Amino acid sequence: MECSISMRITGIRLAKAGFAVYGIDYRGHGKSAGLQGYIPNFDELVNDCAKYYTSVCELPQNKNKMRFLLGESMGGAVVLLLHRKKPSFWHGAVLVAPMCKIAEEIKPHPVVIKTLTKLSSFIPKWKIVPGKDITECAFKSPEWREEIRQNPLCYKGKPRLQTAKELLMVSLDIEKNLNHVSLPFLVVHGGGDTVTDPSVSRALYETAMSEDKTFKLYPGMWHALTSAEPQQNLHLVFADILSWLDERSTTPSDNQSARPSRYVKNDAHYA
């Protein structure tokens, strides 16, 4: 994905609510340089984000403001790794269907994974990883699916070998280290998500050492919670996100640790 078009709904809603919003296209994504859809090293991608967002926070107009991260899907993994690099720097995070674990429904057979992992050393850029069409699996709205397919800034081919290997290794690493997460966070996930595993978002909530943590599961919603759901679903998700941010957008000196943890399963049925 990329941040200027496919993330516009999130950016506009947050900006209208009074937040300063900054986004970045990862290398190999959107308008950034690099072979499209190619991630040779995930840690370098995270370092790019760390440098950029730290520089944003150091701008004169932002120095005394609270700092929140928001990441969707792979961006959720990036957020958790940014927090790992600077555990006390960020005041909170919103994780939307985070890539803490790739859903079994879209992972190749273990034998295939083992074979492709070996091949990635020789043909890292090849697009031969089998799997379901992510666009078809992630976006409930047919109109949004078509917009993604028509957006030249979005990579829509099969995963490149090295990219797939990096995503798998990162998701395994994050899943093993969920208990090290300590910042305040809200994690939202669709119960019908077949791209990233909602059970691992629940595990993040249950095992993270954070004292201020909230998990919201939306039965029937898919992966793209903030863009490709019916309008009533989008309103609900953004209301929850903005309410969580508003409650914490006071001053860094406030006692954040006094907030309780919350697990909320919305019982309503969604289209």
Side-chain angles (χ1 to χ4, degrees):
M1 304 296 288
E2 46 73 48
C3 68
S4 57
I5 299 173
S6 57
M7 289 290 294
R8 68 181 184 276
I9 293 177
T10 296
I12 290 171
R13 290 218 185 204
L14 290 170
K16 284 186 175 180
F19 293 92
V21 183
Y22 297 84
I24 186 175
D25 286 345
Y26 308 127
R27 61 174 76 183
H29 292 71
K31 299 176 183 177
S32 291
L35 179 63
Q36 192 177 46
Y38 182 52
I39 302 174
N41 185 297
F42 204 87
D43 197 50
E44 290 179 2
L45 182 150
V46 175
N47 285 336
D48 290 341
C49 294
K51 291 176 183 176
Y52 172 68
Y53 287 118
T54 299
S55 70
V56 163
C57 294
E58 291 174 348
L59 292 173
Q61 65 268 32
N62 293 334
K63 277 194 172 182
N64 295 320
K65 293 179 180 175
M66 297 187 72
R67 303 177 291 272
F68 293 93
L69 294 164
L70 184 146
E72 297 196 14
S73 194
M74 187 176 85
V78 173
V79 164
L80 292 174
L81 293 175
L82 286 171
H83 163 55
R84 188 185 296 178
K85 285 182 178 293
K86 290 186 174 183
S88 60
F89 185 74
W90 305 101
H91 295 107
V94 176
L95 304 164
V96 182
M99 191 190 74
C100 298
K101 181 179 181 180
I102 300 171
E104 295 299 324
E105 290 88 340
I106 67 168
K107 284 168 64 174
H109 189 277
V111 174
V112 176
I113 291 176
K114 187 175 180 179
T115 302
L116 294 177
T117 299
K118 291 181 179 179
L119 286 174
S120 67
S121 300
F122 304 100
I123 47 174
K125 299 176 183 178
W126 279 29
K127 301 182 285 184
I128 59 173
V129 178
K132 294 183 179 180
D133 181 350
I134 298 297
T135 303
E136 196 70 26
C137 297
F139 303 97
K140 181 183 289 185
S141 164
E143 294 79 14
W144 197 260
R145 258 183 250 148
E146 185 59 26
E147 178 171 315
I148 295 298
R149 290 194 174 105
Q150 295 301 320
N151 183 351
L153 298 177
C154 290
Y155 178 74
K156 293 168 285 291
K158 290 183 179 179
R160 300 182 189 276
L161 274 176
Q162 184 64 23
T163 299
K165 176 187 173 184
E166 289 294 311
L167 296 184
L168 178 61
M169 293 300 102
V170 165
S171 65
L172 292 173
D173 174 55
I174 289 175
E175 187 179 7
K176 286 191 299 185
N177 290 282
L178 296 178
N179 60 315
H180 294 153
V181 176
S182 60
L183 86 170
F185 69 83
L186 164 67
V187 58
V188 296
H189 217 128
D193 191 341
T194 59
V195 178
T196 58
D197 193 336
S199 69
V200 184
S201 283
R202 182 184 290 109
L204 168 63
Y205 166 77
E206 292 173 348
T207 63
M209 68 172 68
S210 308
E211 294 185 23
D212 177 9
K213 53 186 178 178
T214 303
F215 173 44
K216 296 207 172 188
L217 181 69
Y218 305 92
M221 290 199 198
W222 287 20
H223 184 65
L225 287 175
T226 61
S227 58
E229 288 286 329
Q231 282 299 317
Q232 67 269 25
N233 292 2
L234 295 178
H235 290 321
L236 174 61
V237 173
F238 277 109
D240 289 339
I241 290 173
L242 291 171
S243 174
W244 189 90
L245 286 169
D246 282 338
E247 288 177 9
R248 289 153 184 81
S249 300
T250 50
T251 63
S253 60
D254 282 356
N255 182 11
Q256 300 295 323
S257 62
R259 300 182 187 278
S261 63
R262 289 177 290 174
Y263 166 48
V264 180
K265 180 177 178 180
N266 289 278
D267 294 323
H269 295 285
Y270 300 97

